[in-house]
Amino acid sequence: MNSISLDDFKNEFDKHIICFFEEIQIEENIKEALSYSVKNGGKRLRPWFIYNFGKSEDISSENLINAGIAVEILHSSSLIHDDLPALDDANFRRGVLTNHLRFGEYKAILAGDYGFTLPLKIIMDLKDIELENKLVALRYFIEDTLKMFEGEMRDLIYEKDNLEVETSEIINMYANKTGAIFGLSFSLPFFLAGEYKLGEKMHEIGIDFGISFQIFDDLKDLLKSEKELGKDTHKDVNKKTLLNKMSSKEVKIVADNYYSRVIENLLTLNYSDMVRNLIEIRNIVESR
Amino acid sequence: MNSISLDDFKNEFDKHIICFFEEIQIEENIKEALSYSVKNGGKRLRPWFIYNFGKSEDISSENLINAGIAVEILHSSSLIHDDLPALDDANFRRGVLTNHLRFGEYKAILAGDYGFTLPLKIIMDLKDIELENKLVALRYFIEDTLKMFEGEMRDLIYEKDNLEVETSEIINMYANKTGAIFGLSFSLPFFLAGEYKLGEKMHEIGIDFGISFQIFDDLKDLLKSEKELGKDTHKDVNKKTLLNKMSSKEVKIVADNYYSRVIENLLTLNYSDMVRNLIEIRNIVESR
């Protein structure tokens, strides 16, 4: 079946996010702070992968959208904590004030805390999913969330302790910090459908995508202005990225290789429609 | 069957905590910071409830200890974040430096983040539990964690915005902030054993226990020295507690009433052995 384009999906998905926060009954300050960051989302790449891969399986649109909301809340919560003064100390995110500057630090911390656990409740509440499949999906969700925190810790340690790190350690950090949640997004629909073997394969492909995505992100930080990106840039000067190890030309080749491997693997699995999409959104991944 | 005393349990349990952190494979900085707070635990009341109530059901000691470790990690993580400069800004906890003063703020934030999700992996990994029972246990674990964050947010809002609050709002905040995790500890073994109805009843009783526990805690903050408690005291002057609404004598009566209700309800359910224990540990709850 045909997949939906990223732009069309984002339009639809953003409406669902608004409805979700209108309907959910949670403490008002948490809701206000958390929804501020989730609604002002980016490209909605992660839920788009869930939706498109999920449409090839027998899972309802409602479940796919809700799984997408879960992953997007997790992702936004990680950004809320990343931006805190004690971590990246960022002022702007997606063109607006970071969460702690808008609501105060204690609300940003608690909104993030809440937003790391809420996604699991959303997955728990999905309808008409077999018990075992739901448990497997929850297991990956939990484990990938933990990997994300581990990657984030490595990233900060490398930077703040100014450590000498190997290329392989940086790639490994990317695989956790960014790759784990893309791995989750590529695989979640297959776990929910009981396709565990395929899910595991897609999880690996998603991690590769996340690594290429993170490398392109580093290149953007180096080359683009704050106005273009809507967030603080050139803050990565002390971060340990591949740019500490090689030229930006070489770094781009590494990202290209990961991106190509994703495409090859998806072709092998006959996702030719998603491959077309990935080729089409390549410029978005690279430059926005 | 006979239950184990709190002191005997704590001795055993603390050894299991040490083994747990020796064996678990996680990022070393997260492990160091998180285990610092979990190992330097308090009375181990929450896992003691899980263990004693669980022994009346057909659940292995190993599973009960692991469920106790999960709840204790959750509890310790909430203290790590509570103590942060943006929240309670505390210097000491259980007689030692708070996590952020010992390891730095970013490590404390990430160790707490990790410690909110890790317990769910521990529950997920319990052996020989029926799928459906595991899902129900995970559901309560997730929902009670969310309630804890909501209670924490209300507590901070009341204090920082210096709001006029009703007695019922304070009790409701206690029920979330402290009651939810005691509700979880009282009920978890029953959910794991498939005794859902009894589990729900125990969940309510546990919340009552948590409310009385929190009120005694407020009284301690007022009456005890830092040396006696091993943490910063008299920091609650701006907090909204029942002491804003009534005399300490009246407050003690409210706590007594909740404690008595717990005992009555446990007697109705024939937990006479646990009732003896609760009468015995009453002075520990009240004064340590």
Side-chain angles (χ1 to χ4, degrees), chain A residues 28-259:
Chain A
E28 61 199 68
N29 296 278
I30 292 177
K31 187 176 187 163
E32 195 186 12
L34 184 58
S35 67
Y36 169 83
S37 292
V38 182
K39 282 182 190 167
N40 188 39
K43 302 174 279 293
R44 309 299 189 192
L45 257 180
R46 294 162 189 82
W48 177 72
F49 282 124
I50 292 176
Y51 192 86
N52 277 333
F53 287 126
K55 291 311 277 178
S56 67
E57 299 294 317
D58 189 25
I59 305 178
S60 69
S61 292
E62 191 188 348
N63 276 343
L64 294 174
I65 291 289
N66 283 329
I69 291 174
V71 168
E72 208 61 5
I73 291 174
L74 170 64
H75 173 56
S76 296
S77 300
S78 78
L79 299 180
I80 293 173
H81 279 200
D82 283 359
D83 287 338
L84 287 169
L87 286 83
D88 288 350
D89 193 18
N91 298 320
F92 291 98
R93 169 72 72 178
R94 293 166 178 162
V96 298
L97 283 178
T98 47
N99 203 285
H100 63 276
L101 288 183
R102 176 76 175 73
F103 297 100
E105 209 176 324
Y106 76 92
K107 288 186 189 172
I109 291 171
L110 279 172
D113 287 348
Y114 196 93
F116 289 131
T117 303
L118 178 60
L120 297 166
K121 179 165 160 55
I122 296 172
I123 300 298
M124 181 67 86
D125 287 343
L126 294 181
K127 290 187 191 101
D128 304 320
I129 302 288
E130 277 182 38
L131 287 189
E132 196 181 344
N133 299 345
K134 196 176 271 189
L135 264 179
V136 172
L138 281 169
R139 170 179 290 283
Y140 274 87
F141 214 113
I142 289 166
E143 291 181 352
D144 284 326
T145 301
L146 293 174
K147 279 186 202 145
M148 181 187 75
F149 294 134
E150 292 187 294
E152 181 64 19
M153 182 63 103
R154 293 315 299 164
D155 191 20
L156 286 162
I157 292 281
Y158 293 159
E159 177 188 359
K160 305 213 180 223
D161 292 354
N162 198 18
L163 294 185
E164 258 316 311
V165 283
E166 300 294 324
T167 301
S168 64
E169 290 176 298
I170 295 175
I171 295 284
N172 192 40
M173 179 260 282
Y174 289 177
N176 284 329
K177 185 178 88 155
T178 313
I181 304 305
F182 275 110
L184 182 65
S185 305
F186 274 54
S187 60
L188 204 49
F190 302 98
F191 295 131
L192 290 171
E195 297 266 9
Y196 303 152
K197 266 257 175 294
L198 183 53
E200 278 170 42
K201 183 72 195 148
M202 292 300 286
H203 195 265
E204 285 171 31
I205 300 175
I207 292 172
D208 276 349
F209 179 86
I211 294 170
S212 74
F213 183 86
Q214 183 59 53
I215 303 174
F216 285 129
D217 206 60
D218 293 338
L219 285 164
K220 280 186 276 187
D221 185 86
L222 183 77
L223 304 168
K224 295 258 169 179
S225 70
E226 294 195 11
K227 209 173 159 198
E228 284 173 287
L229 289 180
K231 64 177 178 180
D232 311 8
T233 56
H234 314 308
K235 296 203 69 153
D236 292 359
V237 281
N238 296 317
K239 287 236 181 240
K240 301 293 169 175
T241 75
L242 286 189
L243 291 159
N244 294 102
K245 309 298 273 186
M246 45 187 104
S247 72
S248 58
K249 209 171 167 180
E250 288 166 319
V251 166
K252 196 172 167 304
I253 291 170
V254 178
D256 279 342
N257 286 343
Y258 276 100
Y259 207 87

Side-chain angles (χ1 to χ4, degrees), chain B residues 57-83:
Chain B
E57 299 293 316
D58 189 24
I59 306 178
S60 69
S61 291
E62 191 188 348
N63 276 342
L64 293 174
I65 291 289
N66 282 328
I69 291 174
V71 168
E72 208 62 6
I73 290 174
L74 171 65
H75 172 56
S76 297
S77 300
S78 77
L79 299 180
I80 294 173
H81 278 201
D82 283 359
D83 287 338

Side-chain angles (χ1 to χ4, degrees), chain B:
Chain B
M1 63 155 294
N2 287 337
S3 55
I4 180 172
S5 78
L6 186 56
D7 279 349
D8 289 347
F9 176 77
K10 182 180 156 56
N11 281 337
E12 272 307 301
F13 184 79
D14 283 353
K15 290 178 206 156
H16 287 287
I17 284 274
I18 290 168
C19 287
F20 174 85
F21 279 105
E22 262 169 24
E23 283 168 21
I24 193 173
Q25 300 283 325
I26 58 178
E27 200 284 328
E28 61 199 69
N29 296 278
I30 292 177
K31 187 176 185 163
E32 195 186 10
L34 184 58
S35 68
Y36 170 83
S37 291
V38 182
K39 282 182 189 167
N40 187 38
K43 302 174 280 293
R44 310 299 189 193
L45 258 180
R46 294 162 189 79
W48 177 71
F49 283 123
I50 291 176
Y51 192 86
N52 276 334
F53 287 126
K55 290 312 277 178
S56 66
E57 299 293 316
D58 189 24
I59 306 178
S60 69
S61 291
E62 191 188 348
N63 276 342
L64 293 174
I65 291 289
N66 282 328
I69 291 174
V71 168
E72 208 62 6
I73 290 174
L74 171 65
H75 172 56
S76 297
S77 300
S78 77
L79 299 180
I80 294 173
H81 278 201
D82 283 359
D83 287 338
L84 287 169
L87 285 83
D88 288 349
D89 194 18
N91 298 320
F92 291 97
R93 169 72 71 178
R94 293 166 178 162
V96 297
L97 283 179
T98 48
N99 203 286
H100 62 277
L101 288 184
R102 176 74 176 73
F103 297 100
E105 211 177 321
Y106 77 92
K107 287 186 189 172
I109 291 171
L110 279 172
D113 287 348
Y114 196 93
F116 290 131
T117 303
L118 178 60
L120 297 165
K121 180 166 160 52
I122 296 172
I123 300 298
M124 181 67 85
D125 288 343
L126 295 181
K127 289 186 193 102
D128 304 320
I129 302 287
E130 277 183 37
L131 287 189
E132 196 181 342
N133 299 344
K134 196 176 270 190
L135 263 179
V136 171
L138 281 170
R139 169 179 291 284
Y140 274 87
F141 213 114
I142 289 166
E143 290 181 352
D144 284 327
T145 302
L146 293 174
K147 279 187 203 144
M148 181 187 74
F149 293 134
E150 292 188 294
E152 181 64 19
M153 182 64 104
R154 292 317 299 167
D155 190 21
L156 286 162
I157 292 281
Y158 292 159
E159 177 187 359
K160 304 213 180 223
D161 292 355
N162 198 17
L163 293 186
E164 257 316 312
V165 282
E166 301 293 324
T167 300
S168 63
E169 290 176 296
I170 295 175
I171 294 285
N172 192 42
M173 179 261 283
Y174 289 178
N176 284 329
K177 186 178 88 155
T178 313
I181 304 306
F182 275 111
L184 182 65
S185 306
F186 274 53
S187 60
L188 205 48
F190 303 98
F191 294 131
L192 290 171
E195 296 266 10
Y196 302 154
K197 265 258 174 292
L198 184 53
E200 278 171 41
K201 183 72 196 150
M202 292 300 286
H203 195 264
E204 286 171 30
I205 300 174
I207 292 172
D208 276 349
F209 179 85
I211 294 170
S212 74
F213 184 86
Q214 183 59 54
I215 303 174
F216 285 129
D217 205 60
D218 293 338
L219 284 165
K220 280 184 275 187
D221 184 85
L222 184 76
L223 303 169
K224 296 257 170 179
S225 69
E226 294 194 11
K227 210 174 159 199
E228 283 173 287
L229 290 180
K231 64 177 179 179
D232 311 9
T233 56
H234 315 307
K235 295 202 70 154
D236 292 1
V237 280
N238 295 317
K239 286 238 182 238
K240 301 294 168 173
T241 75
L242 286 188
L243 292 159
N244 293 103
K245 309 298 274 186
M246 44 186 103
S247 72
S248 58
K249 209 170 167 180
E250 288 167 319
V251 166
K252 196 171 167 304
I253 291 170
V254 178
D256 280 343
N257 286 342
Y258 275 99
Y259 207 87
S260 303
R261 199 158 86 184
V262 170
I263 285 175
E264 274 163 39
N265 280 318
L266 288 179
L267 276 177
T268 311
L269 295 171
N270 287 318
Y271 284 102
S272 51
D273 196 55
M274 272 308 273
V275 165
R276 268 193 301 279
N277 266 305
L278 278 177
I279 293 169
E280 224 179 280
I281 64 157
R282 168 68 193 257
N283 74 313
I284 295 172
V285 173
E286 249 191 286
S287 56
R288 261 202 275 161

